[in-house]
Amino acid sequence: MDMAVAESSLLSLPDEILSMIMAFTMASEEPVKLRLFLDLNRDFNDQQDCHKRSPPGFRFSSPSRLDLLPLDQKEHYLDWLVVNGTCNRIRRVGKSAFFREKSFMIHESLFHALRANKVTNMTASDLALAKTCIRHVVSQISWRIIAKSALFDHLQSISVYKSRYGYGADRKSCYERHLVPVWGLK
């Protein structure tokens, strides 16, 4: 099947069906390391500036953003490219699904930046969408602090990791998962 036919077939689906497809596509066990994504944009842009300032005739290979990511984050980055590199309708439905279906690892400094709306390398519309759609957070911050902050409109679970460095050899044993009670969000 040719790509144009596949795309038109996908676009002919109602939003509800398209949303279910995107939700299924975005689902993942591994949390998105949000700070890494934001820093990646900054580092990649700095690297591109460096290439522009290099002397004439001086050539070296430039790694892609994908090359700069750890293996466990490449799937998330490719998902982000899919939802951003297509038409407006897929972008609208896909971005919501991306933030809704994935878990996000959020460190304390990023948590405070999100609360203050001072996140660099993230558009205001993506920031607002993230706050509206994120349902699963992984953090070292007390789950009560995150729940009572009311930062995320539809938060359902918070996994608090115990290891100082995030993931240990046995990642599953590092988590202490909390379902967010309705009263915790008021």
Side-chain angles (χ1 to χ4, degrees):
M1 183 185 323
D2 143 321
M3 187 65 159
V5 172
E7 186 176 318
S8 67
S9 299
L10 192 61
L11 293 177
S12 66
L13 295 172
D15 275 357
E16 298 80 32
I17 303 294
L18 188 56
S19 183
M20 289 189 319
I21 291 169
M22 294 306 271
F24 180 76
T25 305
M26 296 297 139
S28 176
E29 291 285 320
E30 194 68 38
V32 175
K33 296 174 184 167
L34 191 54
R35 173 88 278 151
L36 181 68
F37 271 62
L38 298 172
D39 289 346
L40 176 68
N41 282 337
R42 184 200 63 226
D43 294 345
F44 188 79
N45 292 336
D46 289 348
Q47 195 175 59
Q48 295 307 310
D49 288 344
C50 179
H51 287 287
K52 289 175 189 169
R53 291 189 305 259
S54 61
F58 182 76
R59 301 187 58 84
F60 52 92
S61 64
S62 172
S64 72
R65 290 180 192 196
L66 195 58
D67 294 335
L68 300 173
L69 282 171
L71 187 61
D72 66 341
Q73 296 298 297
K74 290 184 182 194
E75 174 189 341
H76 301 309
Y77 186 70
L78 292 172
D79 287 345
W80 187 246
L81 290 179
V82 166
V83 300
N84 280 290
T86 53
C87 68
N88 288 331
R89 183 166 175 239
I90 301 274
R91 190 173 299 124
R92 178 179 45 81
V93 173
K95 280 186 177 186
S96 295
F98 182 87
F99 288 119
R100 190 177 53 250
E101 299 302 323
K102 294 188 180 287
S103 295
F104 289 86
M105 180 174 279
I106 298 176
H107 295 282
E108 188 172 1
S109 61
L110 181 56
F111 175 74
H112 294 300
L114 285 164
R115 284 181 69 184
N117 288 324
K118 295 189 185 230
V119 180
T120 56
N121 296 322
M122 190 174 200
T123 66
S125 61
D126 286 346
L127 179 58
L129 193 60
K131 287 180 175 184
T132 302
C133 294
I134 288 179
R135 298 188 304 182
H136 310 285
V137 171
V138 177
S139 185
Q140 276 187 309
I141 304 168
S142 162
W143 71 274
R144 288 181 178 89
I145 292 173
I146 294 173
K148 290 183 179 181
S149 73
L151 178 61
F152 304 107
D153 296 345
H154 298 301
L155 192 61
Q156 293 178 353
S157 71
I158 301 167
S159 297
V160 179
Y161 60 85
K162 301 170 188 175
S163 168
R164 179 175 172 217
Y165 301 105
Y167 297 128
D170 181 9
R171 183 166 67 230
K172 302 286 185 215
S173 66
C174 292
Y175 293 118
E176 182 181 302
R177 188 177 181 122
H178 298 275
L179 296 179
V180 179
V182 175
W183 57 263
L185 299 176
K186 301 295 179 204

